[in-house]
Amino acid sequence: MTRTVSRDDPRVLLESPATIYDAIPPYPPRSEREAEFYALRDGEMLVNLGPQHPSTHGVLRVVLKIDGEQVVDLDPVLGYLHRGIEKLAENADYHQAICYTDPLEYVSSLFNELAPVMAFEKLVEIEVPRRAEYIRILSCELLRIASHGLFTGWLALDLGGYAPILYGFIERDEIVEMLAALTGQRMLFNYMRIGGVNGDLNHEFMSRLGEWMSRAAREIAANQTLLNENEIFVRRTRGLGVIDRETALRLCLTGPALRATGVPYDIRRAHPYSVYPELEFDIPTRDEGDSYARYLLRLDEVKQSLRIIDQCLEQMPDGPCMAKIPRLIRPRPGRAFAAIESPRGQYACYAISDGTDQPFRFRIHDPSFVNLQSVGVLVPGNLIADTMAIMASLDPIMGGVDK
Amino acid sequence: MSRIPGLGIARGMALTLRRLFQPKVTVQYPEERYPVSPRHRGRLQLLYDEFGALKCETCFQCAQACPIECIDMGGTDTKDRFHVHWGPPEQYAERRSESALRRSGRPVPDPAYTAFEPVDLAPLEAILAAEDYDPRRMPAILERTQAAYGHLPVATLKHISHSTGAWYAEIYGTASSCEHLRFEAPTTRAIGLCRCAACTLAGGGRLRAALEAAGGTELPGTTPDGALTLAAVDCHGASPGDPYVTVDGVPQRGLSPEKLAELATAIRAATARPGRA
Amino acid sequence: MSVVARSWGHLTPAGKVVVPLLGIVLALGLVAFLGIVTGILPAIGDTVVLTGRRNVGIVRFLVAATAALLASVPIAFINIYLEMKLLAWIALRRGPNRVGPFGTLQSVAHGFKVLAKEDFTPTGADRAVFTIAPVVTFLSVVLAFMVVPFAPGIVGVDMNIAVLFFFAIGGLTVVGLLAGGWASFNKYSLLGGLRSAAQIISYEIPLTLSVVGVVMLAGTMSLHGIVEAQAGHFWNWFVFQQPLGFLVFFLAGTAEGNRTPFDLTEADSEIVAGFATEYSGMRYGFFYFAEYVNLFILSAVTAILFFGGWSAPVEIHQLAAWLGVAVPSFAIDPSQLGIGLLFLLALGPALGTVLCAIPVALLRTDWSLRRALAVGFVLFNVVAGGLVIAWAYLASEVVAGLFWFLGKTFFFVFVFVWMRATLPRVRIDQLMGFAWKWLLPASLFNIFATAAAIVLVNR
């Protein structure tokens, strides 16, 4: 057996300057799969895609085994953005734990707060005022539109398009400024509270929202003409990364990636929470299961979100936006689970209380992580350029994947 | 895709051409500023009330509640007499790690991050070569290393990690979960006896005989199990009329030979380790 | 000696430049004085002039090559600025607006930045090839620049096979890209270099074949001759006789110039920066100068081959004749004015400024007189400049030609930038399939149709 040395051993540089360029890990293979992956046949080559690469959506590292331009196999390496958020949250009291979850999926922070807040409310057994529930849904759906707008831009950017990402950011910026008027922050809102929300609707938010809603549908539709029927875009995404229904269910995909295969599974309807049972909206599905279907599905979801926002504004009840809860929460020992539909799929939180003021266990189920595992099925056999299109169409956010 | 080839592209091109002439959205930062919402929570400043007085009452609640302890407060009390302060005064990085340890609620031994003594790695190389540098034979490697060095010095663990490719954390975890593997040399306790004329005349000879019998070795020496060292110390005339005896450097008074022998036997029984023959 | 050394040490950095220059100027002056006094220098001068007259072709080539080298840099700067600004406007941003008026010096600042950056050679790179690759790319582009006619007579070398030369030299670019990608010792660079080889070689064929129709119609391979064949009104332009040829040429040229949607060699979302991944400093700058000069040349050749080069869309004299308007004769020789020219030069600006300031002061009574005068001065300059340009346009066909040529060229630069802002990138297999399955048959069909048309018309 050959002797391998660690990469941080200074002798490596002195003895063999070429070895530092290898994507092969410095330790012997630790599983059959690793041994098979890192054994190269003739003409094959390993390429490190990431962690610093223009199109890995953060710090995902994918080791691609390529034969010419074709990807033969791939090995995703996670953990570059691991911050130990779950463990940090276990060492903070219930109110403080919420603000740790914000930077998980950082383009849709409100969803990251909503799931733990709902879990904690189940632990404490308190009733949330209906106005607070409506405000939560309203702000979450706004952020869903912003997140999908960014997704469109990212997908186009990974395909080489230049304008959509900037139009997506303009769209997102308007929503985020609007939410900043409501919550006080632009990105990590920290708005949800156990028993309600941090602040009531105010004039600035409502006037911005009204002004935006009057032109939102038109502008979003206008921006979509860049890609929707663009021959280059359609040819590059249609029939790419096709995943069938059985495989999607077997891989536990959720969210648009699952609905694009024709399964109408949406937590908002399947396990309704908050005030969704009182709202009218459809669950769009598509049957193709390819990247283009995932793209179009998100555009349909944006339309449904606009519908939900309209209804929220119409049905917004009066009343307090925060329940009376103590400053220090000590729930009875027990466990709680809450799942919501984030822009990427099922986002869930599981918390165990041991009777103290800190959660004994706090776990997050993140849709990006679960959806990302399908790249192992989807990518091999495609070209390098399609790797990006497939990964972008799954819309993973590395903050959530690495926690 | 539309029926007419190129129509989709043309529509996109028309959109971008229209955008070319639309008003621009960039905010030229130092000259123009975006209006900040009154509810904005990101201000790093203390607020004043309408009478011009500081709203902050120095109640420290914010500093206490801050989850990452980045708030460090100092000020005078309400009658302007005492300086009050919240938060440790160290640099931020130190405070953070200190805080992490405190929050975890348990001592965190991490020899990985302390400087370690270099050791002679030749015996270890022999062991590794015999075990084929195979990380799957880690327990055997670790046991033989301990047999060679008496314990597992950090330097050997690092070397094993480099040579086998196993992560240091894995090796450390393996070793720390085995009862018989130890990271430090077994603690040796020492009993000292002064051999000056005054102490010998005051009864030191009998003590020495009892001690050597209990320890099974000459006075300057270590017991065969390595648990107890018998050391020659100097009383410097500190204990007139009583033989000078120290246990781990602490002077003892009024020990009879029997008591001393009992003490030595007890120490040997307590500190002897199964790993060492 | 120590005195000199100590004085040298006391000099400021500027002084260290100025003092030697002064010395050199003094020495040259002395030599010139002695040479003229003794009559040696005039004799040498005569010889030089005679030699130049005998070898006028070589002298002209050297001057043209120097001019092409020098002109390529500002042209690249202008293209980079245009691209930055237009991309920004399309993305609803403002674009560069800090360095220089309207940010026009931004690309110059970028040039200085690139010049001042560390020139880094990665470990394991093939140093010689790594160093020479950007130079090859840049030089091949500048060589192609030599045959581009800007206006009647304004051309580096008027070859009778300029079209052939242009494509032959244009194909050399790929050598530099491939060498750079190979020598970088980086997998992304290697992929980018191989992609560029595959792409540019594939697109050379339809690119060259699409021009055959134009050459057949014009009957010459000289770019000068092709432009003259399209003289007259805009319906003489070859784009109307060769629409398919133009389409193929434009698409293949986009790929040849590595522009979106065919910019696979430096596809930033796939292979980081392709062949340029490991380049930094001025070597990177050479690649990018080459790319933007190439963009200009592609636009220029498109304008020349299909849009009549420097010829105006409508002959202004004929237009005036149709409209029944007499074109004012601007064939004024300024020297005929005699002493009047002196008065014009002395008093014209002052009088013009006052004349332009009067309406401004009357319209904006809230402005101070000084401000009105300042605005009047600017107005006068605009008016006078416009008049001078109009005079030059009508009087000199070189100025008119340059105007139309640069206008058409920068229109195509704009189209390239516009496409880059809008379109996503195609995949490598689609790219190759497009070249071989669509563009090549289309260009062959174009040749056949053109030949048939020529035969039919001439019979």
Side-chain angles (χ1 to χ4, degrees), chain A residues 353-385:
Chain A
S353 161
D354 59 352
T356 61
D357 60 342
Q358 296 176 344
F360 175 67
R361 280 291 175 267
F362 181 82
R363 289 288 179 272
I364 296 288
H365 168 96
D366 190 278
S368 294
F369 179 72
V370 180
N371 289 353
L372 189 65
Q373 66 180 330
S374 65
V375 294
V377 181
L378 298 183
V379 170
N382 285 307
L383 300 178
I384 296 180

Short mmCIF file of all heavy atoms in Angstrom, two decimals, chain A residues 353-385:
data_model
loop_
_atom_site.label_atom_id
_atom_site.label_comp_id
_atom_site.label_asym_id
_atom_site.label_seq_id
_atom_site.Cartn_x
_atom_site.Cartn_y
_atom_site.Cartn_z
N SER A 353 -37.83 19.67 24.77
CA SER A 353 -37.65 20.47 25.98
C SER A 353 -37.38 19.53 27.14
O SER A 353 -37.98 18.46 27.25
CB SER A 353 -38.92 21.28 26.24
OG SER A 353 -38.94 21.69 27.58
N ASP A 354 -36.46 19.92 28.03
CA ASP A 354 -36.25 19.14 29.25
C ASP A 354 -36.70 19.94 30.47
O ASP A 354 -36.28 19.67 31.58
CB ASP A 354 -34.79 18.71 29.38
CG ASP A 354 -33.86 19.90 29.40
OD1 ASP A 354 -34.35 21.02 29.15
OD2 ASP A 354 -32.66 19.72 29.64
N GLY A 355 -37.50 20.96 30.24
CA GLY A 355 -38.02 21.72 31.36
C GLY A 355 -37.19 22.93 31.73
O GLY A 355 -37.61 23.73 32.55
N THR A 356 -36.02 23.09 31.12
CA THR A 356 -35.22 24.27 31.40
C THR A 356 -35.59 25.37 30.41
O THR A 356 -36.48 25.21 29.59
CB THR A 356 -33.73 23.96 31.29
OG1 THR A 356 -33.47 23.53 29.95
CG2 THR A 356 -33.32 22.87 32.25
N ASP A 357 -34.86 26.47 30.50
CA ASP A 357 -35.18 27.58 29.61
C ASP A 357 -34.47 27.46 28.27
O ASP A 357 -34.55 28.36 27.46
CB ASP A 357 -34.83 28.91 30.28
CG ASP A 357 -33.37 28.99 30.63
OD1 ASP A 357 -32.72 27.93 30.66
OD2 ASP A 357 -32.87 30.10 30.84
N GLN A 358 -33.72 26.37 28.07
CA GLN A 358 -33.06 26.18 26.78
C GLN A 358 -33.57 24.89 26.16
O GLN A 358 -33.85 23.93 26.87
CB GLN A 358 -31.54 26.08 26.96
CG GLN A 358 -30.94 27.35 27.50
CD GLN A 358 -29.46 27.19 27.76
OE1 GLN A 358 -28.97 26.08 27.82
NE2 GLN A 358 -28.79 28.32 27.95
N PRO A 359 -33.69 24.87 24.82
CA PRO A 359 -34.10 23.60 24.21
C PRO A 359 -33.05 22.53 24.47
O PRO A 359 -31.86 22.78 24.33
CB PRO A 359 -34.24 23.94 22.73
CG PRO A 359 -33.54 25.22 22.53
CD PRO A 359 -33.51 25.93 23.83
N PHE A 360 -33.50 21.34 24.81
CA PHE A 360 -32.54 20.26 25.07
C PHE A 360 -31.97 19.78 23.75
O PHE A 360 -30.77 19.57 23.62
CB PHE A 360 -33.24 19.12 25.81
CG PHE A 360 -32.37 17.91 26.01
CD1 PHE A 360 -31.27 17.98 26.84
CD2 PHE A 360 -32.64 16.72 25.36
CE1 PHE A 360 -30.46 16.89 27.01
CE2 PHE A 360 -31.83 15.62 25.53
CZ PHE A 360 -30.73 15.71 26.36
N ARG A 361 -32.83 19.62 22.76
CA ARG A 361 -32.36 19.28 21.42
C ARG A 361 -33.10 20.16 20.43
O ARG A 361 -34.29 20.46 20.59
CB ARG A 361 -32.61 17.81 21.09
CG ARG A 361 -31.59 16.89 21.69
CD ARG A 361 -30.24 17.05 21.04
NE ARG A 361 -29.24 16.24 21.69
CZ ARG A 361 -28.44 16.66 22.68
NH1 ARG A 361 -28.56 17.90 23.13
NH2 ARG A 361 -27.54 15.87 23.20
N PHE A 362 -32.37 20.54 19.38
CA PHE A 362 -32.95 21.45 18.39
C PHE A 362 -32.42 21.03 17.04
O PHE A 362 -31.22 21.05 16.81
CB PHE A 362 -32.53 22.88 18.73
CG PHE A 362 -33.09 23.92 17.80
CD1 PHE A 362 -34.37 24.39 17.98
CD2 PHE A 362 -32.34 24.40 16.74
CE1 PHE A 362 -34.88 25.34 17.11
CE2 PHE A 362 -32.86 25.34 15.89
CZ PHE A 362 -34.13 25.81 16.07
N ARG A 363 -33.31 20.56 16.18
CA ARG A 363 -32.85 20.05 14.89
C ARG A 363 -33.64 20.70 13.77
O ARG A 363 -34.83 20.96 13.91
CB ARG A 363 -33.01 18.53 14.82
CG ARG A 363 -32.03 17.79 15.69
CD ARG A 363 -30.64 17.85 15.11
NE ARG A 363 -29.68 17.18 15.95
CZ ARG A 363 -29.02 17.74 16.95
NH1 ARG A 363 -29.23 19.02 17.24
NH2 ARG A 363 -28.15 17.07 17.65
N ILE A 364 -32.95 20.93 12.66
CA ILE A 364 -33.58 21.54 11.49
C ILE A 364 -33.53 20.54 10.34
O ILE A 364 -32.49 19.94 10.07
CB ILE A 364 -32.82 22.82 11.08
CG1 ILE A 364 -32.92 23.87 12.17
CG2 ILE A 364 -33.35 23.36 9.78
CD1 ILE A 364 -34.25 24.50 12.32
N HIS A 365 -34.66 20.36 9.70
CA HIS A 365 -34.69 19.58 8.46
C HIS A 365 -34.69 20.57 7.31
O HIS A 365 -35.61 21.39 7.21
CB HIS A 365 -35.94 18.71 8.41
CG HIS A 365 -36.20 18.08 7.08
ND1 HIS A 365 -35.81 16.82 6.77
CD2 HIS A 365 -36.79 18.56 5.96
CE1 HIS A 365 -36.16 16.53 5.52
NE2 HIS A 365 -36.76 17.60 5.01
N ASP A 366 -33.67 20.51 6.48
CA ASP A 366 -33.52 21.57 5.51
C ASP A 366 -33.77 21.05 4.10
O ASP A 366 -33.16 20.05 3.69
CB ASP A 366 -32.11 22.14 5.60
CG ASP A 366 -32.00 23.38 4.79
OD1 ASP A 366 -31.81 23.27 3.57
OD2 ASP A 366 -32.12 24.46 5.38
N PRO A 367 -34.63 21.67 3.32
CA PRO A 367 -34.94 21.15 1.99
C PRO A 367 -33.76 21.22 1.03
O PRO A 367 -33.62 20.36 0.16
CB PRO A 367 -36.09 22.03 1.51
CG PRO A 367 -35.99 23.27 2.31
CD PRO A 367 -35.42 22.87 3.63
N SER A 368 -32.90 22.25 1.17
CA SER A 368 -31.76 22.35 0.25
C SER A 368 -30.90 21.10 0.34
O SER A 368 -30.46 20.55 -0.66
CB SER A 368 -30.89 23.55 0.61
OG SER A 368 -31.58 24.72 0.40
N PHE A 369 -30.66 20.66 1.57
CA PHE A 369 -29.79 19.50 1.79
C PHE A 369 -30.39 18.27 1.14
O PHE A 369 -29.70 17.50 0.47
CB PHE A 369 -29.61 19.31 3.29
CG PHE A 369 -28.77 18.15 3.66
CD1 PHE A 369 -27.41 18.18 3.45
CD2 PHE A 369 -29.33 17.03 4.23
CE1 PHE A 369 -26.63 17.10 3.78
CE2 PHE A 369 -28.56 15.95 4.56
CZ PHE A 369 -27.20 15.99 4.33
N VAL A 370 -31.68 18.09 1.35
CA VAL A 370 -32.32 16.89 0.82
C VAL A 370 -32.38 16.94 -0.70
O VAL A 370 -32.12 15.96 -1.38
CB VAL A 370 -33.72 16.74 1.43
CG1 VAL A 370 -34.39 15.50 0.91
CG2 VAL A 370 -33.63 16.70 2.94
N ASN A 371 -32.71 18.13 -1.23
CA ASN A 371 -32.81 18.24 -2.69
C ASN A 371 -31.45 18.10 -3.36
O ASN A 371 -31.35 17.58 -4.46
CB ASN A 371 -33.42 19.59 -3.07
CG ASN A 371 -34.89 19.66 -2.73
OD1 ASN A 371 -35.48 18.66 -2.34
ND2 ASN A 371 -35.46 20.82 -2.87
N LEU A 372 -30.43 18.57 -2.68
CA LEU A 372 -29.11 18.57 -3.31
C LEU A 372 -28.61 17.16 -3.55
O LEU A 372 -27.81 16.93 -4.46
CB LEU A 372 -28.13 19.34 -2.41
CG LEU A 372 -26.77 19.62 -3.02
CD1 LEU A 372 -26.94 20.54 -4.20
CD2 LEU A 372 -25.87 20.27 -2.01
N GLN A 373 -29.08 16.19 -2.74
CA GLN A 373 -28.55 14.84 -2.92
C GLN A 373 -28.96 14.24 -4.25
O GLN A 373 -28.39 13.25 -4.68
CB GLN A 373 -29.00 13.94 -1.78
CG GLN A 373 -30.48 13.70 -1.76
CD GLN A 373 -30.86 12.80 -0.60
OE1 GLN A 373 -30.08 11.97 -0.21
NE2 GLN A 373 -32.04 12.99 -0.07
N SER A 374 -29.94 14.85 -4.93
CA SER A 374 -30.33 14.28 -6.21
C SER A 374 -29.32 14.59 -7.31
O SER A 374 -29.44 14.04 -8.40
CB SER A 374 -31.70 14.79 -6.61
OG SER A 374 -31.66 16.16 -6.83
N VAL A 375 -28.34 15.47 -7.07
CA VAL A 375 -27.37 15.73 -8.14
C VAL A 375 -26.61 14.45 -8.49
O VAL A 375 -26.20 14.27 -9.63
CB VAL A 375 -26.36 16.84 -7.77
CG1 VAL A 375 -27.04 18.15 -7.64
CG2 VAL A 375 -25.56 16.49 -6.55
N GLY A 376 -26.43 13.57 -7.51
CA GLY A 376 -25.74 12.33 -7.80
C GLY A 376 -26.47 11.49 -8.84
O GLY A 376 -25.86 10.71 -9.56
N VAL A 377 -27.80 11.63 -8.90
CA VAL A 377 -28.58 10.89 -9.88
C VAL A 377 -28.67 11.67 -11.18
O VAL A 377 -28.63 11.09 -12.27
CB VAL A 377 -29.99 10.63 -9.31
CG1 VAL A 377 -30.82 9.84 -10.29
CG2 VAL A 377 -29.88 9.93 -7.99
N LEU A 378 -28.80 13.01 -11.06
CA LEU A 378 -29.14 13.80 -12.23
C LEU A 378 -27.94 14.14 -13.09
O LEU A 378 -28.03 14.18 -14.31
CB LEU A 378 -29.81 15.11 -11.79
CG LEU A 378 -31.12 14.97 -11.04
CD1 LEU A 378 -31.71 16.32 -10.74
CD2 LEU A 378 -32.10 14.18 -11.88
N VAL A 379 -26.80 14.42 -12.47
CA VAL A 379 -25.70 15.02 -13.23
C VAL A 379 -24.93 14.03 -14.08
O VAL A 379 -24.67 14.31 -15.24
CB VAL A 379 -24.77 15.80 -12.28
CG1 VAL A 379 -23.52 16.21 -13.00
CG2 VAL A 379 -25.47 17.00 -11.73
N PRO A 380 -24.52 12.84 -13.58
CA PRO A 380 -23.65 11.99 -14.39
C PRO A 380 -24.24 11.71 -15.76
O PRO A 380 -25.43 11.45 -15.90
CB PRO A 380 -23.53 10.71 -13.56
CG PRO A 380 -23.72 11.16 -12.18
CD PRO A 380 -24.72 12.27 -12.24
N GLY A 381 -23.39 11.81 -16.77
CA GLY A 381 -23.83 11.62 -18.14
C GLY A 381 -24.05 12.93 -18.87
O GLY A 381 -24.11 12.95 -20.08
N ASN A 382 -24.17 14.02 -18.13
CA ASN A 382 -24.35 15.32 -18.77
C ASN A 382 -23.01 16.00 -18.95
O ASN A 382 -21.97 15.52 -18.48
CB ASN A 382 -25.27 16.20 -17.94
CG ASN A 382 -26.71 15.77 -18.06
OD1 ASN A 382 -27.22 15.65 -19.15
ND2 ASN A 382 -27.34 15.50 -16.93
N LEU A 383 -23.05 17.17 -19.58
CA LEU A 383 -21.81 17.94 -19.78
C LEU A 383 -21.54 18.82 -18.58
O LEU A 383 -22.41 19.03 -17.72
CB LEU A 383 -21.94 18.79 -21.04
CG LEU A 383 -22.18 18.02 -22.32
CD1 LEU A 383 -22.35 18.96 -23.47
CD2 LEU A 383 -21.03 17.08 -22.58
N ILE A 384 -20.32 19.36 -18.53
CA ILE A 384 -19.95 20.21 -17.39
C ILE A 384 -20.92 21.38 -17.29
O ILE A 384 -21.37 21.76 -16.22
CB ILE A 384 -18.52 20.74 -17.56
CG1 ILE A 384 -17.52 19.60 -17.54
CG2 ILE A 384 -18.17 21.70 -16.44
CD1 ILE A 384 -16.12 20.07 -17.70
N ALA A 385 -21.23 21.97 -18.45
CA ALA A 385 -22.08 23.15 -18.43
C ALA A 385 -23.45 22.82 -17.86
O ALA A 385 -24.07 23.67 -17.22
CB ALA A 385 -22.22 23.69 -19.85
#
